[in-house]
Amino acid sequence: MISPITPVTSKPGTLQNCIYSLIIATALIMTGEANAATKKQVKKAAAAATASESHFEQWKEVSGFIASMISKHGFTETELKATFKQVKHIESARQLMRPAPPGKPKNWKAYRARFVEPYRIEAGAAFWDKYPDALTKAEQEYGVPPEIIVGLIGVETIFGKQTGGFRVMDVLTTLAFDYPDTPTRDARMQFFRGELENMLLMAKESSLDPFVFKGSYAGAIGWPQFMPGSIRKYAVDFDGDGKINLTDSPVDAIGSVAHYLAVHGWKRNLPIAFPATLVVPEKSEQLNTALGKGLLASYQLQDLKAIATTASSEAPTNISYGLVDLQNGNDATEYWFATDNFFAITLYNRSYFYAMSVFDLGRMIAAARHK
């Protein structure tokens, strides 16, 4: 259990209104219903919600974390206490981490419409035209084709347009020591404490003030939205300037995305997914077993023919597949045969909807460039 925390010292009504405004506006953006005024509201509310003093340096759990950082990594107590004295509590980040209330069923078509849309397709084609050499180099070195790299960066940040305006130290500290009360609270706090550790190490290794790093309400940074731990493990200096910069170097972002996917199972020249049609009833035991394999391609087409088939003549018979369901609310569910490369994308974000959006957006951008 976490010990009692120091109360937030701010004007409660004002801060609470800012937080609620931010949450509502962010939800509108996520559902594709936001206009320009709403997006300005998000920025304004985010700025207001970051002004909360919490005196993290006085918290018992933070003191234990500081002691660990001193023991493991050679930091000094003075420097870390001075750092945590500057950290702000971000209540909006806590609230945005709460699970969505029960409501409408998952809807792939609605999700897709938010990401595979004309603006991102046009911006993606322009991005590809601007950085063709870096994208070609990434494919040569890591085997990841340009359309996947471009699709992923487009889904994540609209090619650097939406990288987040929160100070990463603020949100990581808030979530590491004051995560909302959810069933996964303890595990999530451990995750964010690990990311906070990586944030401090990354700043030390690059000789930068940790407060210069800006990102999402979860602490993801730059064009590809890497967490600090992923930056330290998988980001690469792809533009050759002697430093890794995912905020200001799209070329570093291109190489880092390709490297991440390659490390997480991407296979050169392997296809990604093919549409499937069920030959068994929905909710049958066979279907549930196939869908329950998780993020894994463990079947041959021959093994799946009693459950589902594909009309695509391009689906190889000598590779492995997993069966993926994309629920469409009250409409019929879509089914796909997914390869190891599809599941590599899910290790970037553990969502079938996400991986299929990256795949679809990349295909649409590639098609737009060849018109």
Side-chain angles (χ1 to χ4, degrees):
M1 295 290 291
I2 277 197
S3 61
I5 62 174
T6 305
V8 173
T9 56
S10 61
K11 295 180 180 179
T14 302
L15 177 59
Q16 187 177 55
N17 289 340
C18 290
I19 292 166
Y20 290 162
S21 296
L22 175 61
I23 293 170
I24 292 168
T26 301
L28 287 172
I29 286 176
M30 292 179 69
T31 56
E33 298 176 6
N35 54 26
T38 301
K39 292 175 182 177
K40 288 181 180 179
Q41 182 186 7
V42 169
K43 292 181 179 180
K44 183 177 179 181
T50 61
S52 172
E53 299 287 351
S54 288
H55 306 289
F56 276 113
E57 80 282 1
Q58 299 177 14
W59 292 20
K60 178 180 177 182
E61 291 77 10
V62 176
S63 295
F65 178 82
I66 288 173
S68 174
M69 294 296 289
I70 293 168
S71 173
K72 289 172 62 178
H73 303 297
F75 285 87
T76 68
E77 183 176 17
T78 300
E79 67 179 316
L80 288 180
K81 282 196 171 183
T83 295
F84 282 104
K85 191 172 184 178
Q86 300 176 59
V87 173
K88 308 293 184 182
H89 183 280
I90 310 298
E91 179 62 21
S92 55
R94 291 184 73 250
Q95 297 304 326
L96 288 165
M97 284 293 170
R98 293 186 182 278
K104 294 180 181 179
K106 293 180 180 180
N107 191 315
W108 157 239
K109 290 179 181 176
Y111 183 99
R112 182 186 186 277
R114 286 161 41 200
F115 297 105
V116 187
E117 45 85 24
Y119 181 82
R120 290 184 205 244
I121 294 168
E122 182 180 350
F127 180 83
W128 195 330
D129 288 342
K130 189 172 182 178
Y131 300 105
D133 293 343
L135 289 163
T136 298
K137 179 185 174 186
E139 182 173 24
Q140 291 171 344
E141 291 193 15
Y142 300 114
V144 183
E147 59 267 27
I148 295 301
I149 300 170
V150 174
L152 190 148
I153 296 174
V155 168
E156 286 290 346
T157 62
I158 317 181
F159 308 100
K161 185 177 180 180
Q162 296 179 355
T163 58
F166 292 94
R167 293 197 308 182
V168 174
M169 276 295 299
D170 292 340
V171 293
L172 290 181
T173 304
T174 298
L175 298 173
F177 299 103
D178 193 22
Y179 197 86
D181 188 12
T182 67
T184 60
R185 184 175 192 261
D186 290 343
R188 297 303 287 165
M189 285 200 300
Q190 283 301 116
F191 168 78
F192 283 109
R193 289 183 193 188
E195 291 301 333
L196 180 59
E197 178 179 1
N198 277 300
M199 177 71 259
L200 289 165
L201 288 170
M202 186 171 73
K204 184 176 184 179
E205 290 160 358
S206 58
S207 300
L208 292 172
D209 181 344
F211 293 99
V212 305
F213 294 91
K214 299 289 184 69
S216 73
Y217 65 84
I221 296 169
W223 287 61
Q225 292 290 275
F226 272 24
M227 295 298 287
S230 291
I231 293 176
R232 295 186 68 231
K233 287 181 182 178
Y234 309 116
V236 295
D237 172 21
F238 212 54
D239 62 13
D241 68 353
K243 61 181 183 294
I244 295 170
N245 187 340
L246 300 185
T247 300
D248 301 313
S249 173
V251 173
D252 282 358
I254 288 168
S256 298
V257 166
H259 181 232
Y260 184 99
L261 291 174
V263 170
H264 287 83
W266 188 273
K267 297 179 180 178
R268 188 183 299 270
N269 298 324
L270 189 72
I272 297 172
F274 300 95
T277 302
L278 292 186
V279 297
V280 296
E282 290 196 320
K283 299 183 180 179
S284 68
E285 183 177 347
Q286 287 176 295
L287 177 60
N288 289 337
T289 298
L291 292 174
K293 294 294 184 180
L295 309 179
L296 185 66
S298 56
Y299 289 101
Q300 298 290 305
L301 280 184
Q302 180 69 19
D303 302 326
L304 286 165
K305 71 177 185 179
I307 302 170
T309 61
T310 180
S312 175
S313 60
E314 298 177 0
T317 58
N318 60 343
I319 64 172
S320 296
Y321 296 91
L323 187 61
V324 167
D325 59 334
L326 303 178
Q327 298 170 39
N328 272 316
N330 295 322
D331 295 333
T333 297
E334 288 184 29
Y335 294 92
W336 289 73
F337 290 150
T339 73
D340 285 327
N341 282 353
F342 180 91
F343 293 115
I345 302 172
T346 67
L347 296 179
Y348 203 102
N349 182 317
R350 301 178 76 87
S351 161
Y352 290 165
F353 284 10
Y354 175 88
M356 191 59 73
S357 289
V358 168
F359 178 41
D360 272 356
L361 180 59
R363 288 193 299 175
M364 295 294 287
I365 291 169
R369 291 183 72 244
H370 291 98
K371 282 185 178 179

